[in-house]
Structure formats: C-alpha cells, structure tokens
C-alpha cells in the first residue's frame, strides 16, 4: 500500500496551509497589539533580530550553516528592500483599517507578480495572466472606491504592500535558482534588521520592548518564519492550484477575528472586491495548470 498517495499528500499540504493561515493571522493580531507602543520600524527591527536567532539556531541544528554565502548580494539587497518596505506598509495598514480590508488587498500580490515576472524573470505574459491582472485591479477599485470616499492612508499602504510583496516574491524566485532557503532567510533577517535599526534610529529614539510588547514581538518573529515555512512545505507537497485557494480562507477568518475582537464591520464592497480578486487568481492558476 502506498502511504504517499496523491490524496494523502494533498491532505497533508492542506494541514501545512492551516499552519500558514494561523501564523499570518497571528502576525496581524500581534502587530496591532504592539502598535500603541512601537512604530513599524521598531517592530521590524525586533522581528528581524528574533528571526536571526531562529534562523541560525535551526541552521546549526540542521547542519546548513555552510550554505550561507555572499553570492548575489545585489539580488538579496533588492529583494529585502522590497520586502522590508512591503512589511512596514502592511503592519501600518493593520493598525488603521479593518483587517479584512488589509487581507483582501494583500491577495492582489499574485496578480502583480504576473506583471513583474516578464520584466525581471523573462516569463511570458499570457492572455490569461493579463486578464487576471486586469480583474484584480478592478477588485482593488471596488474595495478602495476612489471618488466615493477619499482614499485613506491605510488603504493606500495595504495596496502598495501587495506590490512590494510581489516584487519580493519575484526576486526570491530569482534567488532560488542559485541559493538555498537557509541563505535566503539569513540575509532576509540580517538585512532587514539593519534597515530597521537605521530607520527606527533616524530620530535618535528607539523604544525598547516592554513586558507587555515583548511576548507579542516574540510571536511576530516566530509566526513570520513559521508562516513561510508552512507555505513552502505545502507547495512542495501539492500543486499551487491546490495550495493557493486554501490560503484564501484567511479572508473570512480574519474578518471573523476583526468582528469578534475589534468590532469591525465587514463591508459588502470588501466582500465583492475580494471575490473578484480571488476569482482572478483562480482563473490564472487554472490556466497555468493547463500549461
């Protein structure tokens, strides 16, 4: 009897995605919990310092420290500037607009990858990819509704964070051609710790964690790495056409969290825009699976 049947592999991948969904949601809640005391640069600094300890500890136990190299430092730099910018914008957005709105706009990231990949990875822009990108943009307009209400800084930050995350994904894909996950995660945490220290200390004042914020910062540092590890494991066990749709369950989950703990309403326009964005992603994934 084959214990690694496609069905069991798919179920295992779904379980890994539950871990990723829980971790991403925990990051949003923890980010909001520390926002009253720390700015986003300080938050990113402490998250990255915790990440360095975790990455080096795990790499030492796994015997992969030797995989950390200084090749392709230019790609690492561009990738981490993009990710650092996106993560700061994302943490800002979760503190000022409903969590469901942040996650709905974040789901446009795969569509921006579709547009950036031909430029940086020489990948072909097919009709299906172009259609998905256009529909995703329409979804953004429905959620943001420019002209109906003035665009808030939080909505703009969430939308821009999705573009930055897309850039990070494209540059990460480029790095994986030559580098290991250990190397990529090491420079991710180190570079972003440096960026955070520079930006947080620009005004000469860096707030130290308190007894209240320290546990939340530890959660953010662990959840960020766990989320990406779970997502990577899921993608290694099942096709993206199976894995990515599972990730879309983050939206109703975070909407429920927002309603229960922060008394946030879930607006119908957010739901409509999110359905269009998710549908555009599914159309693109289906076209990709057909080759």
């Amino acid at each position: 009897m084959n214990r690694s049947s496609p069905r069991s592999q798919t179920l295992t991948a779904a379980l890994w995605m539950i871990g990723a969904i829980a971790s991403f949601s925990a990051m949003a809640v923890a980010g909001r919990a520390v926002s009253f005391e720390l700015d986003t640069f300080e938050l990113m600094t402490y998250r990255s310092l915790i990440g360095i300890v975790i990455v080096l500890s795990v790499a030492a136990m796994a015997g992969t420290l030797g995989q950390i190299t200084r090749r392709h430092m230019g790609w690492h730099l561009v990738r981490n500037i993009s990710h650092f910018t996106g993560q700061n914008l994302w943490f800002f957005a979760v503190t000022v607009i409903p969590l469901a709105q942040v996650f709905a706009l974040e789901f446009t990231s795969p569509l921006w990858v579709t547009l950036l990949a031909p430029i940086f990875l020489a990948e072909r822009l097919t009709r299906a990819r172009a259609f998905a990108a256009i529909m995703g943009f329409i979804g953004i307009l429905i959620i943001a509704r420019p002209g109906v209400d003035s665009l808030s800084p939080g909505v703009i930050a969430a939308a821009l964070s999705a573009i930055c995350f897309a850039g990070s994904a494209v540059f990460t894909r480029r790095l994986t051609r030559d580098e290991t996950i250990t190397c990529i995660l090491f420079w991710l945490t180190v570079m972003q710790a440096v960026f955070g220290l520079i930006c947080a200390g620009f005004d000469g004042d860096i707030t130290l964690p308190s007894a209240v914020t320290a546990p939340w910062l530890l959660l953010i540092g662990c959840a960020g790495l766990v989320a990406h590890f779970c997502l990577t494991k899921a993608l290694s066990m099942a096709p993206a056409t199976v894995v990515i749709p599972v990730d879309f369950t983050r939206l109703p989950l975070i909407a429920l969290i927002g309603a229960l703990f922060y008394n946030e309403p879930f607006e119908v326009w957010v739901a409509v825009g999110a359905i269009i964005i998710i549908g555009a992603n599914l159309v693109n994934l289906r076209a990709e699976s057909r080759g």
Side-chain angles (χ1 to χ4, degrees):
M1 180 178 178
N2 183 8
R3 295 179 181 272
S4 298
S5 65
R7 182 177 180 182
S8 65
Q9 288 278 79
T10 299
L11 289 175
T12 304
L15 290 175
W16 280 112
M17 279 308 300
I18 291 174
I21 291 166
S23 298
F24 281 128
S25 300
M27 279 181 60
V29 172
R32 181 169 286 191
V34 302
S35 64
F36 70 95
E37 192 170 311
L38 303 173
D39 61 36
T40 57
F41 294 132
E42 292 165 341
L43 193 162
M44 284 295 294
T45 299
Y46 295 126
R47 175 197 169 180
S48 300
L49 292 174
I50 293 169
I52 291 173
V53 174
I54 295 173
V55 170
L56 289 178
S57 299
V58 172
M61 289 187 289
T64 58
L65 284 173
Q67 296 177 359
I68 299 173
T69 71
R70 288 182 289 180
R71 297 177 301 180
H72 309 298
M73 291 301 289
W75 283 112
H76 283 293
L77 180 63
V78 174
R79 181 245 188 253
N80 287 308
I81 288 175
S82 181
H83 190 273
F84 179 80
T85 304
Q87 196 69 75
N88 274 284
L89 290 168
W90 188 85
F91 275 125
F92 170 73
V94 300
T95 67
V96 295
I97 62 174
L99 296 175
Q101 199 170 23
V102 176
F103 277 46
L105 290 169
E106 183 188 349
F107 284 146
T108 63
S109 187
L111 306 175
W112 292 114
V113 170
T114 296
L115 297 177
L116 293 175
I119 300 173
F120 295 101
L121 299 175
E123 294 183 358
R124 192 163 55 95
L125 180 62
T126 63
R127 288 184 179 180
R129 293 174 182 177
F131 172 78
I134 292 171
M135 293 305 295
F137 184 69
I138 291 173
I140 293 175
L141 294 179
I142 292 174
I143 293 172
R145 285 175 294 159
V148 177
D149 297 309
S150 59
L151 285 177
S152 70
V155 169
I156 295 172
L160 290 177
S161 74
I163 299 175
C164 291
F165 286 148
S168 174
V170 168
F171 300 133
T172 299
R173 189 181 302 176
R174 173 62 181 80
L175 281 166
T176 55
R177 295 175 180 175
D178 305 296
E179 302 290 1
T180 64
I181 293 178
T182 297
C183 183
I184 293 171
L185 289 179
F186 172 77
W187 289 115
L188 162 72
T189 53
V190 169
M191 285 188 176
Q192 295 198 38
V194 174
F195 298 158
L197 284 170
I198 293 172
C199 294
F202 186 77
D203 59 358
D205 180 25
I206 298 179
T207 303
L208 295 176
S210 66
V212 175
T213 58
W216 290 111
L217 289 171
L218 182 61
L219 175 60
I220 290 171
C222 294
L225 291 176
V226 170
H228 289 288
F229 177 78
C230 289
L231 181 59
T232 302
K233 287 290 291 184
L235 287 169
S236 71
M237 305 187 77
T241 49
V242 174
V243 172
I244 299 303
V246 176
D247 189 37
F248 294 147
T249 60
R250 271 200 288 151
L251 185 58
L253 174 62
I254 204 65
L256 180 62
I257 291 173
L260 291 177
F261 295 99
Y262 304 108
N263 197 31
E264 294 179 353
F266 187 53
E267 296 184 2
V268 64
W269 290 113
V270 174
V272 172
I275 289 170
I276 292 176
I277 291 169
I278 291 172
N281 277 295
L282 291 175
V283 167
N284 193 30
L285 285 168
R286 187 174 181 182
E288 293 296 314
S289 67
R290 289 177 176 177

